[in-house]
Amino acid sequence: MAPGVWKATAGAPERVSLLGAAGANPSLDGLQRVGATEFPLDRAEIVAQVVDGKLALRFPLGAREQLYGLGLNFKAVEQRGSVKTLHVDHFGGTDNGRTHAPVPFYVSSAGYGVLIDAARYITVYAGTAIRTDSKHPPVVKDRNRDRSWSSQPLSDAVEVLVPAAGATIYVFGGPTPLDAVRRYNLFSGGGVLPPKWGLGFMHRVPTLFTADQATAEVADFASRGYPLDMLGLEPGWQSAAYPGTFVWDTTRFRDPDAFIKAMSRAGVRVNLWMNPYVAPTSPLFRPIAALSGSHTVWTGIVPDVMHPSARRIMLDHFDRELVRRGVSGYKIDEVDGYDRWLWPDQASFPSGLSGEQMRQVYGVAIQRATADAYRARDQRTYGLVRASNAGAASLPYVIYNDYYGHPEFLTALVSSSFIGVLWTPEVRSSKTGEEWLRRMQAVCFSPLAMLNAWSDGTKPWSFAEVATPVRDVMQLRIRLLPYIYTAFARYHFDGIPPVRAMALEKGFRVDQPSAPGVLSSTDNPYAVATHRDVKDQWMLGDALLVAPMFAGDSTRTVVLPSGRWYDFWTGALAGDGQVITVKPGLDRIPLFVREGSTIPMLAGDHLHVPAPGEPSDLELRHYGREPGTFELYDDDGITFGYERGAYSWTPLTVARGADGALVGAEPRRAAGKPFSYRSLTWRMMTPR
Amino acid sequence: MAPGVWKATAGAPERVSLLGAAGANPSLDGLQRVGATEFPLDRAEIVAQVVDGKLALRFPLGAREQLYGLGLNFKAVEQRGSVKTLHVDHFGGTDNGRTHAPVPFYVSSAGYGVLIDAARYITVYAGTAIRTDSKHPPVVKDRNRDRSWSSQPLSDAVEVLVPAAGATIYVFGGPTPLDAVRRYNLFSGGGVLPPKWGLGFMHRVPTLFTADQATAEVADFASRGYPLDMLGLEPGWQSAAYPGTFVWDTTRFRDPDAFIKAMSRAGVRVNLWMNPYVAPTSPLFRPIAALSGSHTVWTGIVPDVMHPSARRIMLDHFDRELVRRGVSGYKIDEVDGYDRWLWPDQASFPSGLSGEQMRQVYGVAIQRATADAYRARDQRTYGLVRASNAGAASLPYVIYNDYYGHPEFLTALVSSSFIGVLWTPEVRSSKTGEEWLRRMQAVCFSPLAMLNAWSDGTKPWSFAEVATPVRDVMQLRIRLLPYIYTAFARYHFDGIPPVRAMALEKGFRVDQPSAPGVLSSTDNPYAVATHRDVKDQWMLGDALLVAPMFAGDSTRTVVLPSGRWYDFWTGALAGDGQVITVKPGLDRIPLFVREGSTIPMLAGDHLHVPAPGEPSDLELRHYGREPGTFELYDDDGITFGYERGAYSWTPLTVARGADGALVGAEPRRAAGKPFSYRSLTWRMMTPR
């Protein structure tokens, strides 16, 4: 297909596919840049056959490989030894394959990736099944007396069952796991480049808020010095919801145009909640009824988002009512689950899709449709969605859910990086100021910094005892815009996820042996061993390692990859390829910077991400004892001009001066290219 | 098929079926006794069609119907509004269809039952799916402002998706829910009648126990006055396990025959743990290797229990090594799950079954095979198993698992009564003496009173502070043998489950309105309403209502059906069709007896259930102010003579004497029929 990407067809693939529904359009340029590599697997060990009317696949698996991916997971990053039936659904507390983005893509620590492109509930046995004719059979042990007995003997295969007559399979080459992920993302079109304002702060207001109340809330943020770029309106913007009318409620929003314009003047974009289920009283109902599914959801009809005419009718309506008026994007709710709320698998749709197929693609299809409508206006959008799947890297949506466990929210952030989706560990409410601060600190180092207190009405300053450190970390989020925006540019052009699991990082090793299980009839009846899975720290951009704190903890361990790492706050050496313990205090989230890196930040405080054309000053923080160069990306921040060449990469270089001291150079700017920054001030963070 | 039982074939059913694998052989006599009734559904509203290559079924559902059944559930008894994909598995914390007995049978409060007989992962939408062309569409409401909005609008159908080309469907008539359950059980062959010793107490010993240690343990029970009828040996009886050799370990059991004989002399039967996965070092391995599945489990091969030759080889071996020597039965472990331990769905078996089909039937097929082997010796067995399915009523096995939550264990007991399976809320260990006692009290009113402390080695007397009340309730279990054995006879002959959910009881009503949900962004984001589901009390036999206590509680509410109910312990009136609150103290489990009922009990204390031919004395406790008759069942307690007419039903009648007082009559015994009881003493429990 492209350098390092191979495609195979097994059986007769169905007409609908995940990549097709996502409208994934490979970035061949990007793939060329990553370059060629060898086919990573032993072809003779890949088996496809039809068993019991379904497609059974088998891929070889080495004894020392670890596996990642297989959907957005909340409990574990490492997936070897698990079985999942990949099924779009809300996350229900177990990493069993039912999740918001059940992407059938796995990445191996051996440096390759495999995608099964079928819009079905695919079951993956990720190193569990063992054949009687295996060439690498595990050792037989007596559990009665052999303490080394394991409940999971070593399997030499990944087995996959696709409940369909065929599927398309893609293999992505290495040599590193990150290379495989990059190729997967580039094959999906390259990662999304959000508008700059999308990397600011989002706040959502209670459902029955009026235009006046929303306006007052925005003013409150500004007067208190808390940054705000996006305001989310919940279902109450509509005249009725669940099912929705998709028209403004004129009692709460008498003049939507005036409201949106006022928001815009205040530097704030409006984002609107919706789910796709159409009320009989909606003007959309009559035109779209014949293009909807066989079943209702919350008494609303379900537009067949895979049918071109249904898409056109929806998008025309959205364009007229929303986009044209200046709405910046959507929060697309409840396209994930639960089973008892959505259509059943035997539902049918005019496009010919079954309920099962539609369940797997509704999320990506509605993301693609709405994204294309913004693109048609040369305007970027950035919003929220609850369902996604394979091929979604280029889609301008961030996944969220209702689970709300803080550790699980952060593990999802880590696991999102393998499968080409974005996730926000949004903040809703907290029991204590400490929890509030810890959650706010973490969300500010995610793809979407959001407070989603639609019901509780909590504000960033609601916990007075932490109001200042909350504002500080929100300010830091805005100040980091040049750095984070560049990380997203790397996602777009090079396929490198802006947030990355440690397993995607060079120099990172976790090969601690498992702890033997302790037999207990009630707590661990099979004496299953425990293993350390690093699931609560991640990389943001090239240089920043984020190691957040959870409420109740005053210390934590951080696993540093090899190479020297420096404390973001002080510039002091933190460690080199070791596990360190930190005690950061309440006000700070532990952050570490790689040797020789520069973090470009906006100078001073900001109430918003700088507007297009608004010049700003940069503070360039350099860490460590080595020289280095950071390539700073920029463009207009709101249009698709970057696809037409209207962008710049500016090298920010630190060199060693004559006296051996590190010196930051004045950057050479590319002529005639967008560059928003006025003055640049270097700051050497690490004492010589 | 029989009075009140209808069969339909939709599409082309597969060769393997659940009822076929269970060897269910309808009790036409019993069905005749229940009698004829009308077809309970509107035939025109039953729809079957092939959609997306699968069989889609639809059954009508009235607005006020409640649904029960759909597998062994641990969290809820009422199932309307749920979606389940029925899949043999361990219970993982959610009633999602993955359970030890995912029986595709539902019972309606309107008085009928529906069974989908297909060995597939069937999905049931139990009153959730709503069609756009529904004849009874739910009311459209605006969630923004209408407090009566529900996240689950009313559906008028049960929809079912069978991932196969066809299925056989059975409808069981009423007019009551219990009638439908009775017909289902009788159609499955009638309920199991365990040997009398099976209703005594079972204790299991640690894995590496030797014959001497086991013998000492049995003696310890006797010397301390704790009853014991069955001793369970864990994997250590085998020379190796996980995978198993299926031969005795001669270091721990030098002379198995002598050991079993000594146990027998001590009044105790031996039960042996096994799972079916065969070690390469087993003498079974070579003969059965070619008749095993394509994948191993814990490095053992998986005998194709659906293949006649494999069955014969296994059973010949079991007979020679175990049954012939006097082993009373098995604990068949790990035929349920997890997915990561068992064979994958794409596994294949020599009998032609796929991994999916085999997963659904392995449990019932191995129950049937081992039961038939005992039957061939005219010897009853009673054991434990972790997987079952439809058609299992007549199989002499009780389901257990590792979940160990006490409330969930008791809800499973309640839910087992709808689907023709038995369940034990076994006791393993406890954190406190109070919990220990509460668990022991509850298990003594279940189909199998078992302590399963294989790992911890806890004994009934381990918590000294409750050692006496534990012994008391174990003694009560044994004393209730005539009553409980009769309840099982009613299961066998009449299909009436010995343990019954309150919803199967005449006079029971739960129609309290749902409590409106309170909106919370983190705890209840959809403001889902809560509803009282009575899931912690049950009927045992005709007359006894069991309302157990959980550790930490000093009071509880009990929902009494209409009619007068009396305290078992004091004979005092407890209530009539009302919700009462009781404060029973630590030593007693709340028990209530229906007006006019007699509870026949063994007189005095016992170390074992009486042996065959051993006469015993009866104490007949009568409750209430009304006369009544209890039909007492008896037979030899160990053979299948009862199938050849060797049993008795003896009326125990209380009549009103000339002075208006209640008087117990001397029973008329049937001549020439088994009757184990010598003297009978009436005791009028309720003061006049």
Side-chain angles (χ1 to χ4, degrees), chain B residues 201 406 410 413 425 427 433-446 449 466 468-474 476-477 538 540 546-551 569 584-591:
Chain B
F201 197 83
H406 200 203
L410 300 189
L413 189 58
V427 182
E434 181 198 6
E435 183 191 343
W436 185 249
L437 176 57
R438 292 312 192 191
R439 285 182 175 271
M440 291 293 258
Q441 285 173 341
V443 82
C444 283
F445 294 86
S446 81
V466 294
T468 301
V470 164
R471 185 171 55 198
D472 290 347
V473 78
M474 289 170 66
L476 178 58
R477 165 76 180 197
W538 63 89
L540 178 66
V546 184
M549 303 295 296
F550 297 110
W569 306 97
L586 190 58
D587 293 1
R588 287 185 176 177
I589 174 173
L591 300 170

Coordinates of all heavy atoms in Angstrom, one line a residue, chain B residues 201 406 410 413 425 427 433-446 449 466 468-474 476-477 538 540 546-551 569 584-591:
Chain B
F201 N -24.3 -32.1 55.0 CA -23.3 -31.0 55.0 C -22.1 -31.5 54.3 O -21.7 -32.6 54.4 CB -23.0 -30.6 56.4 CG -22.3 -29.2 56.4 CD1 -23.0 -28.0 56.4 CD2 -20.9 -29.1 56.5 CE1 -22.4 -26.8 56.4 CE2 -20.2 -27.9 56.5 CZ -21.0 -26.7 56.4
H406 N -21.6 -11.9 49.4 CA -22.7 -12.6 50.0 C -24.1 -12.1 49.4 O -24.9 -13.0 49.1 CB -22.7 -12.4 51.6 CG -23.5 -13.4 52.3 ND1 -24.0 -13.2 53.5 CD2 -23.9 -14.6 51.9 CE1 -24.6 -14.3 53.9 NE2 -24.6 -15.2 53.0
L410 N -26.7 -14.7 47.3 CA -28.1 -15.0 47.6 C -29.0 -14.6 46.5 O -30.0 -15.3 46.2 CB -28.5 -14.4 48.9 CG -27.6 -14.9 50.1 CD1 -28.1 -14.4 51.4 CD2 -27.5 -16.4 50.1
L413 N -29.1 -17.4 44.2 CA -30.0 -18.4 44.7 C -31.4 -18.2 44.2 O -32.1 -19.0 43.7 CB -29.9 -18.5 46.2 CG -30.5 -19.7 46.9 CD1 -30.0 -21.0 46.4 CD2 -30.3 -19.5 48.4
P425 N -24.7 -21.0 47.7 CA -24.0 -19.8 48.2 C -22.9 -20.3 49.2 O -23.0 -19.9 50.4 CB -25.0 -18.9 48.9 CG -26.1 -19.9 49.3 CD -26.0 -21.1 48.4
V427 N -19.7 -21.3 51.6 CA -19.0 -20.5 52.5 C -17.5 -20.9 52.4 O -17.2 -22.1 52.3 CB -19.4 -20.8 54.0 CG1 -18.7 -19.9 55.0 CG2 -20.9 -20.5 54.1
G433 N -16.5 -13.2 62.9 CA -17.4 -14.3 63.3 C -18.8 -14.0 62.9 O -19.6 -14.9 62.5
E434 N -19.3 -12.8 62.9 CA -20.6 -12.4 62.5 C -20.8 -12.8 61.0 O -21.8 -13.4 60.7 CB -20.8 -10.9 62.7 CG -22.3 -10.5 62.3 CD -22.4 -9.0 62.0 OE1 -21.3 -8.3 62.1 OE2 -23.5 -8.5 61.8
E435 N -19.9 -12.4 60.2 CA -20.0 -12.8 58.7 C -20.1 -14.3 58.6 O -20.9 -14.8 57.8 CB -18.9 -12.2 57.9 CG -19.0 -12.4 56.4 CD -17.8 -12.1 55.6 OE1 -16.9 -11.4 56.2 OE2 -17.7 -12.6 54.5
W436 N -19.2 -15.0 59.3 CA -19.1 -16.4 59.2 C -20.5 -17.0 59.5 O -21.0 -17.9 58.8 CB -18.1 -16.9 60.2 CG -17.8 -18.4 60.2 CD1 -18.1 -19.3 61.2 CD2 -17.1 -19.1 59.2 NE1 -17.6 -20.5 60.8 CE2 -17.0 -20.4 59.6 CE3 -16.6 -18.7 57.9 CZ2 -16.5 -21.4 58.8 CZ3 -16.0 -19.7 57.1 CH2 -16.0 -21.1 57.6
L437 N -21.1 -16.6 60.6 CA -22.4 -17.1 61.1 C -23.4 -16.8 60.0 O -24.3 -17.6 59.7 CB -22.7 -16.6 62.4 CG -24.1 -17.0 63.0 CD1 -24.2 -18.5 63.1 CD2 -24.3 -16.4 64.4
R438 N -23.5 -15.6 59.6 CA -24.5 -15.2 58.6 C -24.4 -16.0 57.3 O -25.4 -16.4 56.7 CB -24.4 -13.7 58.3 CG -24.8 -12.7 59.5 CD -26.1 -13.1 60.1 NE -26.6 -12.1 61.1 CZ -27.6 -12.3 61.9 NH1 -28.2 -13.5 62.0 NH2 -28.0 -11.4 62.7
R439 N -23.2 -16.2 56.9 CA -23.0 -17.0 55.7 C -23.4 -18.5 55.9 O -24.1 -19.1 55.1 CB -21.5 -17.0 55.2 CG -21.2 -15.6 54.5 CD -19.7 -15.7 54.0 NE -19.3 -14.5 53.3 CZ -19.4 -14.4 52.0 NH1 -20.0 -15.3 51.2 NH2 -19.0 -13.2 51.4
M440 N -23.0 -19.0 57.1 CA -23.4 -20.4 57.4 C -24.9 -20.5 57.5 O -25.5 -21.5 57.0 CB -22.7 -20.9 58.6 CG -21.2 -21.0 58.5 SD -20.7 -22.4 57.3 CE -20.3 -23.6 58.5
Q441 N -25.6 -19.5 58.1 CA -27.0 -19.6 58.3 C -27.7 -19.7 56.9 O -28.6 -20.4 56.7 CB -27.5 -18.4 59.0 CG -27.3 -18.4 60.5 CD -27.6 -17.1 61.2 OE1 -27.7 -16.1 60.6 NE2 -27.8 -17.2 62.5
A442 N -27.2 -18.8 56.0 CA -27.9 -18.8 54.6 C -27.6 -20.1 53.8 O -28.5 -20.6 53.2 CB -27.4 -17.6 53.9
V443 N -26.4 -20.6 53.9 CA -26.1 -21.7 53.0 C -26.9 -23.0 53.5 O -27.1 -23.9 52.7 CB -24.6 -22.0 53.0 CG1 -24.1 -22.8 54.2 CG2 -24.2 -22.7 51.7
C444 N -27.3 -23.0 54.7 CA -28.0 -24.1 55.2 C -29.5 -24.2 54.7 O -30.2 -25.1 54.9 CB -28.0 -24.2 56.8 SG -26.5 -24.8 57.4
F445 N -29.9 -23.1 54.0 CA -31.2 -23.1 53.4 C -31.1 -23.0 51.9 O -31.9 -22.4 51.2 CB -32.0 -21.9 54.0 CG -32.3 -22.1 55.4 CD1 -31.4 -21.7 56.4 CD2 -33.5 -22.8 55.8 CE1 -31.7 -22.0 57.7 CE2 -33.7 -23.0 57.2 CZ -32.8 -22.6 58.1
S446 N -30.1 -23.7 51.4 CA -29.8 -23.8 49.9 C -29.7 -25.2 49.5 O -29.7 -26.1 50.3 CB -28.5 -23.0 49.6 OG -27.4 -23.9 49.9
A449 N -25.5 -27.5 51.3 CA -24.9 -26.8 52.4 C -23.4 -27.1 52.5 O -23.0 -28.2 52.9 CB -25.6 -27.2 53.7
V466 N -18.9 -17.8 67.6 CA -20.1 -18.2 67.0 C -20.2 -19.7 66.7 O -21.0 -20.2 66.0 CB -20.4 -17.5 65.6 CG1 -20.6 -16.0 65.9 CG2 -19.2 -17.7 64.7
T468 N -21.1 -22.2 68.5 CA -22.4 -22.9 68.9 C -23.5 -22.5 67.9 O -24.2 -23.5 67.4 CB -22.7 -22.5 70.3 OG1 -21.6 -22.9 71.1 CG2 -24.0 -23.2 70.7
P469 N -23.8 -21.3 67.6 CA -24.9 -21.0 66.7 C -24.6 -21.6 65.3 O -25.6 -22.0 64.5 CB -25.0 -19.5 66.6 CG -23.9 -19.0 67.4 CD -23.4 -20.0 68.3
V470 N -23.3 -21.7 64.9 CA -23.0 -22.4 63.6 C -23.4 -23.8 63.7 O -24.1 -24.4 62.8 CB -21.5 -22.2 63.2 CG1 -21.1 -23.2 62.2 CG2 -21.2 -20.8 62.8
R471 N -23.1 -24.5 64.8 CA -23.5 -25.9 64.9 C -25.0 -26.0 64.9 O -25.6 -26.9 64.3 CB -22.9 -26.5 66.2 CG -23.1 -28.0 66.3 CD -22.4 -28.6 67.4 NE -22.6 -28.0 68.7 CZ -21.9 -28.0 69.8 NH1 -20.8 -28.8 69.8 NH2 -22.2 -27.4 70.8
D472 N -25.6 -25.1 65.6 CA -27.1 -25.2 65.7 C -27.8 -25.1 64.3 O -28.7 -25.8 64.0 CB -27.6 -24.0 66.6 CG -27.3 -24.2 68.0 OD1 -26.9 -25.3 68.4 OD2 -27.4 -23.2 68.8
V473 N -27.3 -24.2 63.5 CA -27.9 -24.1 62.2 C -27.6 -25.3 61.3 O -28.4 -25.7 60.4 CB -27.7 -22.7 61.5 CG1 -26.3 -22.6 60.9 CG2 -28.7 -22.4 60.5
M474 N -26.4 -25.8 61.4 CA -26.0 -27.0 60.7 C -26.9 -28.2 61.1 O -27.4 -29.0 60.3 CB -24.5 -27.3 60.9 CG -23.6 -26.4 60.1 SD -21.8 -26.6 60.6 CE -21.5 -28.2 59.9
L476 N -29.9 -27.8 62.4 CA -31.2 -27.5 61.8 C -31.3 -28.0 60.4 O -32.3 -28.6 60.0 CB -31.5 -26.0 62.0 CG -32.9 -25.6 61.4 CD1 -34.0 -26.3 62.1 CD2 -33.0 -24.1 61.6
R477 N -30.3 -27.8 59.6 CA -30.2 -28.2 58.2 C -30.5 -29.7 58.2 O -31.4 -30.2 57.4 CB -28.9 -27.9 57.6 CG -28.6 -28.7 56.3 CD -29.3 -28.1 55.2 NE -29.1 -28.8 53.9 CZ -29.3 -28.3 52.7 NH1 -29.9 -27.1 52.6 NH2 -29.1 -28.9 51.6
W538 N -36.3 -15.8 49.9 CA -36.8 -16.8 49.0 C -37.6 -17.8 49.8 O -37.6 -17.9 51.0 CB -35.6 -17.6 48.3 CG -34.7 -18.3 49.3 CD1 -34.7 -19.6 49.7 CD2 -33.5 -17.8 49.9 NE1 -33.7 -19.9 50.5 CE2 -32.9 -18.8 50.6 CE3 -32.8 -16.5 49.8 CZ2 -31.7 -18.6 51.4 CZ3 -31.6 -16.4 50.5 CH2 -31.1 -17.4 51.3
L540 N -38.2 -21.8 50.6 CA -37.6 -23.1 50.6 C -38.7 -24.1 50.8 O -39.3 -24.1 51.9 CB -36.5 -23.3 51.6 CG -35.8 -24.6 51.7 CD1 -35.1 -25.0 50.4 CD2 -34.9 -24.7 52.9
V546 N -37.4 -17.8 53.7 CA -36.1 -17.6 54.3 C -35.7 -16.1 54.0 O -35.7 -15.7 52.9 CB -35.1 -18.5 53.7 CG1 -33.7 -18.4 54.3 CG2 -35.6 -20.0 53.8
A547 N -35.3 -15.4 55.1 CA -34.9 -14.0 54.9 C -33.6 -13.8 55.7 O -33.6 -13.3 56.8 CB -36.0 -13.1 55.5
P548 N -32.5 -14.1 55.1 CA -31.2 -14.1 55.8 C -30.7 -12.8 56.1 O -31.1 -11.8 55.5 CB -30.3 -14.8 54.7 CG -30.9 -14.4 53.4 CD -32.4 -14.4 53.6
M549 N -29.8 -12.7 57.0 CA -29.1 -11.5 57.4 C -27.7 -11.4 56.8 O -27.1 -12.4 56.6 CB -29.0 -11.5 58.9 CG -30.3 -11.6 59.7 SD -31.4 -10.2 59.5 CE -30.5 -8.9 60.2
F550 N -27.3 -10.2 56.5 CA -25.9 -9.9 56.1 C -25.1 -9.3 57.2 O -25.7 -8.6 58.1 CB -25.9 -9.0 54.9 CG -26.6 -9.5 53.7 CD1 -27.8 -9.0 53.3 CD2 -26.0 -10.6 53.0 CE1 -28.5 -9.6 52.2 CE2 -26.7 -11.2 51.9 CZ -27.9 -10.6 51.5
A551 N -23.9 -9.7 57.3 CA -23.0 -9.1 58.3 C -23.1 -7.6 58.3 O -23.1 -6.9 57.2 CB -21.5 -9.5 58.0
W569 N -39.4 -19.7 64.6 CA -38.8 -20.1 65.9 C -39.8 -20.0 67.1 O -39.8 -20.9 68.0 CB -37.7 -19.1 66.3 CG -36.7 -19.0 65.2 CD1 -36.6 -18.1 64.2 CD2 -35.6 -19.9 64.9 NE1 -35.6 -18.3 63.3 CE2 -34.9 -19.5 63.8 CE3 -35.1 -21.0 65.6 CZ2 -33.8 -20.1 63.3 CZ3 -34.0 -21.7 65.1 CH2 -33.4 -21.2 64.0
P584 N -33.6 -10.0 64.4 CA -33.6 -11.3 64.9 C -32.5 -11.7 65.9 O -32.5 -12.8 66.5 CB -33.3 -12.2 63.6 CG -32.5 -11.3 62.8 CD -32.9 -9.9 63.1
G585 N -31.5 -10.8 66.1 CA -30.3 -11.2 66.9 C -29.4 -12.0 66.1 O -29.7 -12.4 64.9
L586 N -28.2 -12.2 66.6 CA -27.2 -12.9 65.9 C -27.4 -14.4 65.6 O -27.1 -14.9 64.6 CB -25.8 -12.7 66.6 CG -24.5 -13.1 65.9 CD1 -24.4 -12.3 64.6 CD2 -23.3 -12.8 66.7
D587 N -28.0 -15.0 66.6 CA -28.1 -16.5 66.6 C -29.1 -17.0 65.6 O -29.0 -18.2 65.3 CB -28.4 -17.1 68.0 CG -27.2 -16.8 68.9 OD1 -26.2 -16.2 68.5 OD2 -27.4 -17.2 70.1
R588 N -30.0 -16.2 65.2 CA -31.1 -16.8 64.4 C -31.2 -16.1 63.0 O -31.1 -14.9 62.9 CB -32.5 -16.6 65.1 CG -32.6 -17.5 66.3 CD -33.9 -17.3 66.9 NE -34.1 -18.3 68.0 CZ -35.1 -18.4 68.8 NH1 -36.2 -17.6 68.7 NH2 -35.2 -19.4 69.7
I589 N -31.5 -16.9 62.0 CA -31.8 -16.4 60.7 C -33.4 -16.3 60.7 O -34.1 -17.2 61.1 CB -31.3 -17.4 59.6 CG1 -31.8 -17.0 58.2 CG2 -31.7 -18.8 59.9 CD1 -31.1 -17.8 57.1
P590 N -33.9 -15.2 60.2 CA -35.3 -15.0 60.1 C -36.0 -16.0 59.2 O -35.6 -16.1 58.0 CB -35.5 -13.6 59.6 CG -34.2 -12.9 60.0 CD -33.2 -13.9 59.8
L591 N -36.9 -16.8 59.7 CA -37.6 -17.8 58.9 C -39.1 -17.6 59.2 O -39.5 -17.4 60.4 CB -37.2 -19.2 59.3 CG -35.7 -19.6 59.2 CD1 -35.4 -20.9 59.9 CD2 -35.4 -19.7 57.7

